[in-house]
Amino acid sequence: KTVEVSVAAKDPVTGQTQVVGNSQTYTVEATPGTGTSLVLNNVTADNIINQAESTSPNTAITGKVNGAFATTDTVTLFINDKTFTGGVDAQGNFSINVPTAQLLADPDTRITASIAAGTSPAKATATQDYGVDTTPPVATVAVNNLTPDNLISAQEAALDKLPVTGKVTGEFRPGDVVEVKVNDKTFTGTVNAQGNFSVDVPTTDLVADPDTKLQVSVAPTDAAGNKGQPATDEQDYSVTVPPQAAAITLNPLTGDNLITPTEGNQTSLNLTGKVSGAFSADDVVSIQLNGKTLTGTVNAQGEFSIPVNMTDLKA
């Protein structure tokens, strides 16, 4: 037989709950005339009543009777100076609903149980300690600079992804989810045991984000399973993108790019075209024709129209 002991130790500074335990193997000599033993299971999965579990009207206290017993035997639980009873099934299992409020109010958070037949003395007894932690965890998160200088350079902008990193402090658990919002999209990662996280974000979204601001949140949980309010932080960054190359297109001089005798009788002809890429309105366009330089300007759409003498075109 083995006895297991655990303690839900809450750090008075961080408020973080840590469950530690140990066990001891022993041998039981049955009480003469009974040959019965009684075992109480953990009150909850982790033997700690958390905030969510504390809202349940009742909590089932379960266990098992071994050895000599009958289905007419009664299991009695002593909790918060009150008694609660239930029967056992043919396999010795029992489940007794206890008001959760009584478990929360019990000063020593200890359940004492006994099994007896009718009014006979107890055949066997058992105890089970448990923990109560209904306090939501409180954590903070700090986001690091996106890059060493917090500026996405042209070289960095060419990368597929950049990691958004930071650290969570306070009460949290490894595996808590981190959300990074960029460019109206959400990217997720998890916190490690030291509170650090790294979430890869597509560089295209970082460059395209209108306000170039990282918005990070973490929903902390504690060892008891309590959930706290999300911890949030923001980090502004800058983007340097190399200018696009400019390109220029010259349209055909006429509809068929052929000066007919009729067209040749005109005094001048407008040469038109379009600038694309990186340009500004009123940028100067220069045309070299027949040893002369003619100039004009670009409009906001990149279009230009420059009149040239027909004699220069013919020559």
Side-chain angles (χ1 to χ4, degrees):
K1 297 183 181 294
T2 302
V3 60
E4 296 182 354
V5 60
S6 64
V7 59
K10 192 160 188 173
D11 190 309
V13 176
T14 66
Q16 187 166 357
T17 301
Q18 181 180 13
V19 180
V20 295
N22 208 329
S23 63
Q24 177 66 54
T25 302
Y26 63 96
T27 303
V28 176
E29 181 178 358
T31 303
T34 65
T36 305
S37 65
L38 180 63
V39 177
L40 283 170
N41 298 328
N42 286 345
V43 174
T44 62
D46 58 2
N47 208 32
I48 300 174
I49 301 175
N50 63 25
Q51 195 280 331
E53 293 161 340
S54 72
T55 62
S56 177
N58 296 299
T59 298
I61 305 303
T62 63
K64 185 175 177 62
V65 181
N66 298 298
F69 67 91
T71 55
T72 55
D73 289 349
T74 299
V75 175
T76 301
L77 305 177
F78 300 89
I79 300 170
N80 195 31
D81 293 330
K82 295 179 175 61
T83 59
F84 306 90
T85 60
V88 296
D89 64 17
Q91 288 73 45
N93 300 305
F94 64 87
S95 179
I96 303 171
N97 279 336
V98 174
T100 306
Q102 297 299 327
L103 291 163
L104 298 174
D106 191 32
D108 62 0
T109 58
R110 171 176 290 182
I111 301 171
T112 301
S114 67
I115 182 170
T119 58
S120 302
K123 294 181 179 180
T125 61
T127 59
Q128 175 65 270
D129 292 312
Y130 60 94
V132 175
D133 183 355
T134 58
T135 304
V138 177
T140 58
V141 59
V143 186
N144 299 328
N145 285 346
L146 183 59
T147 63
D149 57 3
N150 210 32
L151 175 71
I152 300 178
S153 66
Q155 184 178 7
E156 291 161 338
L159 300 174
D160 289 337
K161 296 178 179 180
L162 285 174
V164 175
T165 63
K167 186 176 180 66
V168 179
T169 56
E171 194 171 7
F172 65 90
R173 226 173 17 172
D176 283 349
V177 176
V178 180
E179 290 188 348
V180 178
K181 293 185 178 180
V182 176
N183 197 31
D184 290 330
K185 299 177 183 178
T186 300
F187 307 92
T188 61
T190 56
V191 179
N192 67 14
Q194 290 73 45
N196 300 309
F197 62 86
S198 179
V199 181
D200 284 340
V201 175
T203 309
T204 52
D205 285 305
L206 291 165
V207 171
D209 190 43
D211 61 1
T212 57
K213 178 180 291 187
L214 303 172
Q215 297 174 307
V216 177
S217 66
V218 181
T221 58
D222 63 17
N226 295 309
K227 296 181 180 180
Q229 291 296 317
T232 62
D233 191 24
E234 295 182 345
Q235 176 67 268
D236 291 311
Y237 61 93
S238 300
V239 178
T240 296
V241 178
Q244 295 176 280
I248 188 168
T249 302
L250 188 63
N251 298 326
L253 272 65
T254 63
D256 56 5
N257 207 31
L258 176 69
I259 299 176
T260 65
T262 300
E263 293 165 336
N265 289 330
Q266 298 176 16
T267 304
S268 64
L269 186 68
N270 288 335
L271 296 188
T272 63
K274 186 176 178 65
V275 178
S276 59
F279 70 90
S280 299
D282 296 327
D283 282 351
V284 176
V285 177
S286 299
I287 293 178
Q288 306 295 326
L289 175 66
N290 195 32
K292 301 177 182 178
T293 300
L294 307 172
T295 62
T297 58
V298 178
N299 66 16
Q301 288 72 45
E303 299 165 342
F304 63 87
S305 179
I306 302 173
V308 297
N309 290 327
M310 185 61 69
T311 54
D312 287 320
L313 286 168
K314 289 180 177 180

